Every structure is written in C-alpha cells, then in structure tokens.
Amino acid sequence: MEKMNLNKHISGQFNAELDDIRNRVLAMGGLVERQLEQALDALAGLDAELAKTVIDGDHKVNGMEVAIDEECTRIIAKRQPAASDLRLILAISKTITDLERIGDACVRIAKAAVDKRAKSQEPLLVSIESMGRHATRTLHATLDALARMDAEQAFELHKEDAKLDKEYEGIIRQLMTYMMEDPRSIPGVLDVLWAARAVERVGDRCKNICEYIIYYVKGKDVRHTSYEDMEKDLHQ
Amino acid sequence: MEKMNLNKHISGQFNAELDDIRNRVLAMGGLVERQLEQALDALAGLDAELAKTVIDGDHKVNGMEVAIDEECTRIIAKRQPAASDLRLILAISKTITDLERIGDACVRIAKAAVDKRAKSQEPLLVSIESMGRHATRTLHATLDALARMDAEQAFELHKEDAKLDKEYEGIIRQLMTYMMEDPRSIPGVLDVLWAARAVERVGDRCKNICEYIIYYVKGKDVRHTSYEDMEKDLHQ
C-alpha cells in the first residue's frame, strides 16, 4: 500500500513536471508570437524604437530555449519516461529549436525596419505586411494546436505552408520587377527581400512544429511524407 | 555472478548500439558531404545530369534522418541512458536535423545548376565555387570533429563560420553591383544569390553541429554564448 502511494506520488510529480515543460514551451511560443507581431508592426510603421525592442528581446527567447532543453534532458535522465511521455519530451525539445529560429527571423525582420535602405522602399513593405499577418495567424494556430496537441489541426496547418510559399513567390516576382525598373533601388529592395524571406521561413518552422505534434499524438514520424500518406496515417 | 555477467552482456549490447548510431550518423554525414561536393561540381560545370543525381539523392538523406532518429528514441526508451550516454544520443538526434538541412541546401544549389536563368550568369558562379569549397572543407572538418568527439576542434570550427559569412557578404555586394549595371540580368543573378545563400547556410549548420559536440563532451549548452565564455568553459 505504502509502495503504491509512493508510486502515485512519484507519478504525480512526474506529471507536474511534464505539465510544467508544456506550459513553458507555450510561454516561449507566446513570447515568439509577440516578437513576430512587433517586428511586423515595426516594419510596417518603420518604427526603429519598436524594432530595437524586438532585437533586444531575442536573448529572452534564446534563454528559454536553453532552459527548457536542459529541463527536458533532466526529466529524461531522472524519470526514464517511455512511450508517449518520451515522445512528448522529444517533441518539445525539437519544437523549441524551431521557436528559437522563428525568434531569429523576427530579429531579421526588425533589422529591415531600422535599415535606412529599406526605408526608401516603403511602398514595397505593404505586400510583406500582408504575408506577415498570414504567417502570424499560422504561428498562432500552430501554438494553439500545440497547446491542445491536436493532430488534425496540425495536419491542416501543415498544408497551409504551401499558401505562404505561393505568396512569397509572388512578392519575389514583384520585387524583381521593381528592381529591373529602377536599378538604383536594388540595395533597398534586397533588404526588403531578406525580410520577406524571413517571413517565409516562419511558415517552414510552423510546418516543422506541426510535424512534431503529429509525431507525439500518432507516434509516427511524418517528416518527408506525402500529404496522402500523412492523411492515411492520421485516420487509420 | 550470473547477474553480473548479464549486466555486462547488456552493457556490451548497449555500447554496440551506441557505436552503431555513431557510425550511422557519420555515414549520413559522408553522404551529405558527397551531395555537397557534387552539387558544387554541378554548379561549376553547369552539369544538369549531375545536378539531377544530387536532387534525386536527397530522399536517401531524409530517410537516414528518420531512421536514426527512430533508433535514438528506441535506445532512450529501452536503455534509459543517463549522463554522457544520454547527451550523446541527444546530440546525435540534433546533429541529424542539421545534416538533413545541409542536404536541402545541396538540392537548392543543384537546382541553380539546372536553372536556365542561372546559366546566363556563368562568370558569377566562380565566386560561389570558392565559397562552396570553403564550406565543404568546414563540413568535412566538422564531421571529423564529430567522429573523434573533439571539443577543441569543434570550438575552432565554430569560429570559422564568421569567415564564411564575410565571404558571403562580399559575394552579395558583387551580385548587387552586377544587377545594377545590367538590370536584365536580375532574374538570373537572383538564382545565383539563392545558391550563395544556401552555401552560407551550410556554415551555420556546421556551427550548430559543433555546438552539439561541445555539449556532449563538456556537458554544457554553449548555444547563444560568447566566444570568450565558450573558451572559458572549454578550458576550465
């Protein structure tokens, strides 16, 4: 009896630890989402002050990555989790890497907002803003799927990335035309182009996180899998 | 006595398993290195056939990532490793993600070699080739440090990335001038620019792998750490 209580107690602590890293990864996601919103606001309003806030805030994102990863390793070593608990921890450990990289993308977007050359290309920033809002919605929905560990939503979002890619290609074409029409604009337009690329990368990162959610829920690694096979795995 | 033998037997099997994933990650590294060399050869010689070999070969890299990651999870669940064994497995699990992304970069470089627009920019490809060889040497040395789990070499290589970044910036400036002088060249030059960016990313990935080597050997997460602090950690 006493042993049973002890086991229960230990498993209660273990569950609390798992809840804790889940909450921490969601907090990190919330921070990254705010960084992305502010970076896009800074770019849209060419607000150097706000851009600086984003750039200065990146170390917090980095710190969270290292701290959560350390905690993941500690839990694996101490609790020796199996099956779905282990998958959860490994999925979290991979998710935070992608969140940190989204944080880096935010810094790149913010840097374009303080760049004097990009400022001369103000009209071009409108199209990035629209793609940026799309990326923000995708990130928000991805974090939502992560909070609820919703594999169906993760699968739907995974497909969303192709739309962002299309939007990005359209912007690249637009920027190309602009450069050809006015070669003096090239350095400034390239800065805008790097920002657009950073936004597009946010979509790729969200796609990765969706794959980890599906991996956790379904116990199956769906990276490099076609949508058809992925759908079969989801509904079998 | 029998139990001791059994323990020895189990730990012998465990060591064999660890050796096995170490060998597999090195084999994956070898494949990626070959992909990079061939992608750069294809670009330098504008050899569409060789480029196709690289593009077709990427699924092997992807397959190795998934298989090794699965094996890492299996070992953690079955062997419940602690301390340095666990760090080894987690470092490998992260390394293969970066190797797979280097594989994606190879595909992007190879695609530039089959692109008709890039072909019109043949003189520009020379500077990428030089940076590409630098990146190949960095990857080779990184895999060498990984094979010997040499934290000192990993630290030296980690600094190398800054040089590749400088080379990349020089190329971007060169491409920019070229576009400004001849606006009709812009679409073709942009293809070259994407290939240059892919090469630069190889350096970033090598830097990540070096951080995992240091993490394994020193038990310390050096991501987002200054060189000075990193050096202190290494030699304390």
Side-chain angles (χ1 to χ4, degrees):
Chain A
M1 181 67 188
E2 233 169 48
K3 198 176 170 207
M4 228 182 85
N5 271 339
L6 184 67
N7 280 343
K8 214 172 144 188
H9 185 63
I10 289 176
S11 101
Q13 275 181 342
F14 180 30
N15 284 335
E17 284 176 358
L18 289 181
D19 279 346
D20 180 54
I21 50 165
R22 276 181 77 148
N23 288 334
R24 281 165 77 178
V25 73
L26 291 173
M28 181 180 175
L31 175 61
V32 170
E33 198 182 334
R34 216 154 46 242
Q35 289 278 95
L36 181 59
E37 277 168 1
Q38 291 189 333
L40 290 165
D41 283 346
L43 190 63
L46 290 169
D47 181 340
E49 190 99 1
L50 187 59
K52 210 183 155 296
T53 310
V54 173
I55 295 166
D56 291 344
D58 189 50
H59 79 274
K60 270 186 263 172
V61 178
N62 295 344
M64 283 171 112
E65 182 198 12
V66 171
I68 296 172
D69 217 6
E70 219 170 78
E71 182 62 9
C72 286
T73 310
R74 201 192 59 80
I75 295 180
I76 294 176
K78 189 178 164 198
R79 302 294 183 187
Q80 309 185 328
S84 85
D85 290 337
L86 179 58
R87 283 207 309 277
L88 175 67
I89 299 168
L90 293 176
I92 285 176
S93 169
K94 284 179 196 282
T95 295
I96 53 176
T97 305
D98 282 289
L99 286 177
E100 191 271 330
R101 302 275 158 83
I102 295 177
D104 290 344
C106 296
V107 170
R108 238 165 283 136
I109 297 165
K111 278 186 177 162
V114 284
D115 202 309
K116 279 194 198 89
R117 296 191 305 195
K119 277 190 185 158
S120 58
Q121 305 308 327
E122 215 171 332
L124 291 178
L125 297 176
V126 178
S127 47
I128 290 203
E129 208 196 338
S130 155
M131 179 173 73
R133 299 304 162 198
H134 188 175
T136 312
R137 283 196 304 279
T138 307
L139 175 60
H140 184 85
T142 301
L143 293 171
D144 187 51
L146 182 71
R148 296 182 291 106
M149 281 298 176
D150 183 337
E152 289 286 340
Q153 189 178 336
F155 176 66
E156 290 306 318
L157 282 165
H158 195 273
K159 292 191 289 189
E160 195 68 17
D161 184 48
K163 286 186 212 162
L164 258 171
D165 286 349
K166 280 248 171 313
E167 229 171 304
Y168 169 71
E169 279 162 30
I171 290 177
I172 297 298
R173 262 196 302 275
Q174 187 195 353
L175 296 181
M176 222 187 284
T177 317
Y178 204 87
M179 287 192 277
M180 289 172 88
E181 278 168 6
D182 178 12
R184 285 165 312 162
S185 73
I186 289 174
V189 175
L190 278 186
D191 288 329
V192 177
L193 189 141
W194 298 133
R197 177 130 186 127
V199 174
E200 186 263 336
R201 297 295 290 146
V202 172
D204 293 341
R205 300 296 179 183
C206 288
K207 193 173 149 186
N208 292 343
I209 294 173
C210 288
E211 290 175 354
Y212 307 141
I213 296 171
I214 297 172
Y215 162 74
Y216 165 65
V217 177
K218 296 287 168 181
K220 207 173 148 71
D221 195 332
V222 292
R223 286 177 291 188
H224 321 299
T225 312
S226 72
Y227 284 124
E228 292 70 29
D229 286 344
M230 218 189 256
E231 195 150 29
K232 240 184 274 160
D233 286 335
L234 259 181
H235 299 119
Q236 70 183 186
Chain B
M1 180 66 187
E2 231 169 49
K3 198 174 170 208
M4 228 184 84
N5 272 338
L6 185 67
N7 280 343
K8 214 171 142 187
H9 185 63
I10 290 175
S11 103
Q13 275 181 343
F14 181 30
N15 284 335
E17 284 175 359
L18 290 181
D19 280 346
D20 180 53
I21 51 165
R22 276 182 76 148
N23 288 334
R24 280 166 77 179
V25 73
L26 291 174
M28 182 179 174
L31 175 61
V32 170
E33 198 181 335
R34 217 157 42 244
Q35 289 278 95
L36 181 58
E37 278 168 0
Q38 291 188 331
L40 291 165
D41 284 345
L43 191 63
L46 290 169
D47 181 340
E49 190 99 0
L50 186 58
K52 210 183 157 297
T53 310
V54 173
I55 295 166
D56 291 346
D58 189 48
H59 78 272
K60 270 186 261 171
V61 178
N62 296 344
M64 283 171 112
E65 182 198 13
V66 172
I68 296 172
D69 217 5
E70 219 170 79
E71 182 63 8
C72 286
T73 310
R74 201 191 61 78
I75 295 179
I76 295 176
K78 188 177 166 200
R79 303 292 184 187
Q80 310 185 327
S84 86
D85 290 337
L86 179 57
R87 283 207 309 277
L88 175 68
I89 299 169
L90 294 176
I92 285 177
S93 168
K94 285 179 196 283
T95 295
I96 53 175
T97 306
D98 282 289
L99 285 177
E100 190 271 328
R101 302 274 160 83
I102 295 178
D104 289 344
C106 297
V107 170
R108 236 164 285 136
I109 297 165
K111 277 185 179 163
V114 284
D115 201 308
K116 279 196 198 89
R117 296 191 305 193
K119 276 188 187 162
S120 59
Q121 305 309 327
E122 214 171 334
L124 291 178
L125 297 176
V126 178
S127 46
I128 290 205
E129 207 195 340
S130 156
M131 179 173 72
R133 298 306 162 198
H134 188 174
T136 313
R137 283 196 305 278
T138 307
L139 176 60
H140 184 86
T142 302
L143 293 171
D144 186 52
L146 183 71
R148 295 181 294 106
M149 281 297 176
D150 183 337
E152 289 286 339
Q153 188 178 338
F155 176 67
E156 289 307 316
L157 282 165
H158 195 273
K159 292 192 288 190
E160 196 68 18
D161 184 48
K163 286 187 212 162
L164 258 172
D165 285 349
K166 280 252 171 312
E167 228 171 305
Y168 168 70
E169 279 162 29
I171 290 177
I172 297 298
R173 261 196 302 275
Q174 186 195 355
L175 297 180
M176 221 187 281
T177 316
Y178 204 88
M179 287 192 278
M180 289 172 88
E181 278 168 6
D182 178 13
R184 286 164 312 162
S185 73
I186 289 174
V189 175
L190 278 185
D191 288 329
V192 177
L193 188 140
W194 297 133
R197 179 133 185 121
V199 174
E200 186 263 334
R201 297 296 291 146
V202 172
D204 293 341
R205 301 297 179 182
C206 288
K207 194 173 148 184
N208 292 342
I209 295 172
C210 288
E211 290 176 354
Y212 307 142
I213 296 170
I214 297 173
Y215 163 74
Y216 165 65
V217 177
K218 295 288 167 180
K220 207 175 147 73
D221 195 331
V222 292
R223 287 177 291 189
H224 321 299
T225 311
S226 72
Y227 285 124
E228 291 70 30
D229 286 345
M230 218 190 252
E231 195 151 28
K232 241 183 276 162
D233 286 337
L234 259 180
H235 300 119
Q236 70 185 185

